[in-house]
Amino acid sequence: MTNPPPPQDRSYRWPAEWEPHAATWLSWPHNRNSWPGRFGRVEPVYARMVRVLATSEPVHINVTDAAMERRARHYLSLAGADGEITFHYIPTNDAWCRDHGAVILKEEGPGTGDRLALDFRFNAWGGKYPYDLDDAVAPQMAETLGIPSKSADFVLEGGAIDGNGQGTLLTTEACLLNSNRNPQLSKQDIEERFRLDLGVEQIIWLGDGIAGDDTDGHIDDITRFVSEDTVVSMVEPNTADENHRPLADNIERLRDVRLTDGRKLRILELPSPPPLVYQNQRVPASYANFYIANSVVLMPGYHPSTDLLAAEVLASCFPKRDVVTIDCRDLIWGLGAFHCLTQQIPR
């Protein structure tokens, strides 16, 4: 099947994550180098994630071949996963579908519903790891969905941006202005690309990310929109912790924000879990790496006391969805959690 050409002279919008999904798209984990010494614990956690997602919406999963599909089905069966789960033979270097998957837009205007898949360039967070297969995933997703695909000659990962569906986008200077992404582009150039490619009007720039994040500071470990005018943002009250100052600085920036209609941004604080360190390496454990599906919110769990506090914040934001916490202390050794693994397909 060949996907249709991109429609011309149409206006598209990047929907918010909480808007209705047709499905969630994933890439099955297989790169043992991403979880050295812990890979055997990762697939069962991943299967539990799929089980929860499949109660909410159809799930599509990239696998390399029939052998990987059989392995995945084995773990899904052990986890009791049921529902509409479809496998696609789309090979990947790794499991982080948020960053290598297509970003799907919807056509603006009443009575319209056409979608457009954006194929941004992917370079494994500045050339840190192999990425040849991952960089080819987005157009294959579009072809499988039967929707037009548009190539964007711009290095961008899905975890580097977050939006409210109404023209405002969040990102970080640490990631997008890093010379390992688009060194030829200025901050103003990048803002213009966002406006042209994603149809947004307002770009909110935060500063640095959290310790242990090999993406150079993805926004989905720091601050996320939960409604058109509300964000949740990570805080670290311990002044001796290396995350305290960067997170406090980001909160200060958010307090100065006025949305396009003049409203102040509403800010809810998410607690930080206690530091997690494996093999003398701190990992980027963050409650901001949750994923909003149609009927559930998947939240990574790290420590009982802070898990409860974070879940209460998210439950207040999504009263019509169940907040489901899954222990991610093994999964985060790969330096990512649920939002990093998922890519929503707007309905």
Side-chain angles (χ1 to χ4, degrees), residues 56-113:
S56 171
E57 58 209 68
V59 177
H60 296 260
I61 305 175
N62 295 326
V63 292
T64 299
D65 51 27
M68 190 182 295
E69 179 183 349
R70 286 193 298 271
R71 183 180 179 91
R73 288 189 182 278
H74 168 72
Y75 281 103
L76 292 176
S77 176
L78 291 177
D82 198 7
E84 189 177 336
I85 301 171
T86 306
F87 290 90
H88 305 281
Y89 291 173
I90 298 176
T92 63
N93 297 104
D94 217 325
W96 312 113
C97 197
R98 173 65 48 180
D99 293 344
H100 62 235
V103 175
I104 311 292
L105 309 184
K106 287 186 69 174
E107 189 176 2
E108 280 277 34
T112 60

Side-chain angles (χ1 to χ4, degrees), residues 4-34:
Q8 302 299 316
D9 302 320
R10 292 190 185 179
S11 177
Y12 288 88
R13 178 179 67 88
W14 180 35
E17 194 171 302
W18 56 80
E19 295 184 48
H21 297 179
T24 291
W25 207 288
L26 309 169
S27 297
W28 191 264
H30 58 88
N31 187 346
R32 293 175 179 270
N33 292 329
S34 291

Side-chain angles (χ1 to χ4, degrees), residues 232-244:
V232 292
S233 197
M234 295 290 294
V235 294
E236 173 50 74
N238 180 5
T239 57
D241 190 288
E242 58 190 316
N243 284 333
H244 171 76

Side-chain angles (χ1 to χ4, degrees), residues 55-273:
T55 68
S56 171
E57 58 209 68
V59 177
H60 296 260
I61 305 175
N62 295 326
V63 292
T64 299
D65 51 27
M68 190 182 295
E69 179 183 349
R70 286 193 298 271
R71 183 180 179 91
R73 288 189 182 278
H74 168 72
Y75 281 103
L76 292 176
S77 176
L78 291 177
D82 198 7
E84 189 177 336
I85 301 171
T86 306
F87 290 90
H88 305 281
Y89 291 173
I90 298 176
T92 63
N93 297 104
D94 217 325
W96 312 113
C97 197
R98 173 65 48 180
D99 293 344
H100 62 235
V103 175
I104 311 292
L105 309 184
K106 287 186 69 174
E107 189 176 2
E108 280 277 34
T112 60
D114 285 350
R115 296 172 296 176
L116 176 66
L118 292 182
D119 173 18
F120 290 102
R121 288 169 52 206
F122 178 73
N123 73 352
W125 314 283
K128 296 181 176 72
Y129 312 102
Y131 59 87
D132 57 326
L133 298 175
D134 287 348
D135 191 35
V137 168
Q140 294 178 81
M141 285 174 57
E143 183 172 354
T144 302
L145 289 164
I147 65 175
S149 176
K150 177 184 176 183
S151 177
D153 188 23
F154 175 55
V155 176
L156 181 68
E157 306 98 41
I161 53 175
D162 196 72
N164 72 348
Q166 299 300 318
T168 298
L169 177 148
L170 278 163
T171 191
T172 68
E173 294 166 348
C175 178
L176 265 295
L177 301 186
N178 195 303
S179 61
N180 62 15
R181 299 304 205 280
N182 300 284
Q184 76 283 8
L185 300 181
S186 68
K187 188 174 187 178
Q188 292 70 31
D189 293 333
I190 291 171
E191 290 187 346
E192 185 60 21
R193 294 301 301 262
F194 283 150
R195 293 186 177 100
L196 290 173
D197 292 334
L198 294 167
V200 297
E201 304 171 36
Q202 178 183 24
I203 294 91
I204 300 170
W205 291 89
L206 299 188
D208 291 326
I210 60 174
D213 181 6
D214 66 340
T215 69
D216 304 306
H218 271 186
I219 194 68
D220 64 0
D221 273 338
I222 308 167
T223 304
R224 301 280 306 284
F225 273 108
V226 291
S227 76
E228 182 181 332
D229 66 350
T230 305
V231 296
V232 292
S233 197
M234 295 290 294
V235 294
E236 173 50 74
N238 180 5
T239 57
D241 190 288
E242 58 190 316
N243 284 333
H244 171 76
R245 188 71 261 164
L247 294 178
D249 288 345
N250 286 329
I251 291 281
E252 287 304 311
R253 294 195 190 202
L254 292 168
R255 287 178 178 145
D256 291 335
V257 169
R258 295 295 180 274
L259 296 171
T260 53
D261 59 5
R263 281 181 295 170
K264 289 184 67 174
L265 193 62
R266 183 168 173 249
I267 305 164
L268 303 177
E269 295 183 350
L270 274 176
S272 293

